Amino acid sequence: MDFSWDDLRLFLDVARLGGLSAATETTRLSAATLGRRVTALEKQVGEPLFHRSQSGYRLTQAGEDLLERAEDVEAAMLSLKRWKEGAVGARVVRLSAGSWTSAFVASHIGDIWTVEDRFAVEFVTAMQKVDIGRRNADLGIRNQRPTEQWLAGRLIGTVAYAIYSGLNLINGIKAGYFVGVTGEGGQTHAARWMQARHGDRIAVRGNDAMSVRELVAGGAGLSVFPCFVGDSDPRLVRVASPIQELETDQWLVSHHEERHEPAVHAVADRIADVMKRHGALFRGETPRE
């Protein structure tokens, strides 16, 4: 019986995510196409792999057995990929994080990577979660503990948020206006908080984190930033205490099969160390006088 790796990979997504709808996001296939591929795989196996219901897909015993074996194949394919990368170039450790966190880690790259390392580092900056389960990244810095069974998480700190103005009380800042966020950045919990409480006083908006900071520094209005951003920029001034309801934990996330891989493990430990050394800054405990 010859199994296709592509079919097994689709099966893994459906099994791990508990249904077709969720798996459409990771596979980029329609639910109808996924359904046909799963049915074809069941015919190949000779028995049902899932109990189907309105609440989702639950593995049968045959499905559990195939899941265990498919994960072995996945690990072998990953090993083959690593071998190929080692043969043609350095191992690449991909780190996913939001704009501010990526910028912070990048500014400490000397603590994360050196020319003596036998691997490269690639930053994958995105507002939405990058799928570590499908190896779109090796490590991710997130504000929530991972719930997926194939991901491992390490608590590396706490992030505080506060309202900041520009150094000079001019223009929109003087009038008490705010600078809002549009696009993907507008979906963060800080942007939603600001819209809910100060939406009627938002006069200017930016669609990315960096432009919002420049607008505030230029006097367009007040805005909410993580304290490690606002307290590190000499052009910004914190105007109130950190907002307790916006405080989040910071988790370093990896695939449970890759977390002990030497390059990934090394980068993870170094990032955790950097975050620990700068913990007070992230917690908002070091405001500038």
Side-chain angles (χ1 to χ4, degrees):
M1 186 184 298
D2 294 327
F3 288 100
S4 161
W5 167 233
D6 285 339
D7 287 340
L8 290 177
R9 187 162 53 186
L10 296 180
F11 164 75
L12 284 169
D13 278 3
V14 175
R16 288 166 170 168
L17 296 173
L20 301 179
S21 297
T24 59
E25 297 295 324
T26 59
T27 63
R28 307 290 184 181
L29 297 176
S30 68
T33 299
L34 278 174
R36 287 194 297 270
R37 297 281 289 273
V38 169
T39 299
L41 184 60
E42 288 177 320
K43 289 180 180 178
Q44 190 176 6
V45 172
E47 52 185 312
L49 299 172
F50 295 99
H51 297 294
R52 294 163 170 82
S53 67
Q54 291 184 343
S55 61
Y57 277 35
R58 184 168 52 86
L59 288 168
T60 63
Q61 185 57 55
E64 294 281 1
D65 293 341
L66 181 60
L67 176 64
E68 181 179 351
R69 289 158 177 77
E71 287 180 335
D72 289 341
V73 175
E74 181 182 47
M77 294 299 291
L78 178 60
S79 177
L80 181 62
K81 178 184 176 184
R82 290 174 183 160
W83 169 81
K84 180 177 181 295
E85 288 179 342
V88 300
R91 168 71 161 95
V92 178
V93 178
R94 297 175 177 85
L95 170 67
S96 70
S99 299
W100 293 128
T101 307
S102 288
F104 179 86
V105 174
S107 71
H108 292 82
I109 190 61
D111 296 317
I112 307 299
W113 174 87
T114 70
V115 294
E116 285 77 25
D117 288 318
R118 300 189 64 182
F119 56 82
V121 176
E122 179 179 317
F123 285 73
V124 184
T125 302
M127 296 306 300
Q128 303 299 323
K129 288 194 300 185
V130 173
D131 194 343
I132 295 175
R134 289 187 64 83
R135 309 310 204 274
N136 293 329
D138 299 296
L139 294 166
I141 301 177
R142 300 179 177 176
N143 61 10
Q144 293 180 330
R145 184 173 190 165
T147 56
E148 300 90 336
Q149 62 181 2
W150 57 91
L151 296 184
R154 185 196 311 191
L155 183 62
I156 58 173
T158 300
V159 182
Y161 291 75
I163 296 175
Y164 291 83
S165 78
L167 192 60
N168 299 313
L169 302 182
I170 58 174
N171 204 3
I173 291 176
K174 185 177 181 180
Y177 289 128
F178 279 76
V179 177
V181 189
T182 63
E184 287 188 359
Q187 301 308 308
T188 66
H189 69 306
R192 291 196 299 268
W193 181 92
M194 186 166 56
Q195 177 64 42
R197 287 158 181 77
H198 303 287
D200 60 335
R201 298 195 63 78
I202 293 177
V204 181
R205 300 176 189 269
N207 71 343
D208 72 277
M210 305 305 172
S211 66
V212 171
R213 180 173 61 181
E214 295 307 309
L215 286 166
V216 174
L222 308 165
S223 199
V224 175
F225 295 111
C227 290
F228 74 89
V229 173
D231 293 342
S232 299
D233 192 325
R235 303 171 302 166
L236 302 181
V237 178
R238 192 197 296 185
V239 301
S241 299
I243 304 162
Q244 291 299 315
E245 61 193 285
L246 289 184
E247 183 177 287
T248 63
D249 288 332
Q250 192 169 54
W251 291 85
L252 185 60
V253 180
S254 61
H255 196 285
H256 72 87
E257 291 177 351
E258 285 208 355
R259 57 180 167 162
H260 301 302
E261 197 275 330
V264 174
H265 183 70
V267 174
D269 280 351
R270 294 170 189 177
I271 290 173
D273 182 63
V274 167
M275 295 305 185
K276 180 179 180 180
R277 285 191 281 113
H278 294 276
L281 176 65
F282 277 79
R283 294 190 299 270
E285 296 171 359
T286 58
R288 292 189 316 279
E289 296 298 332

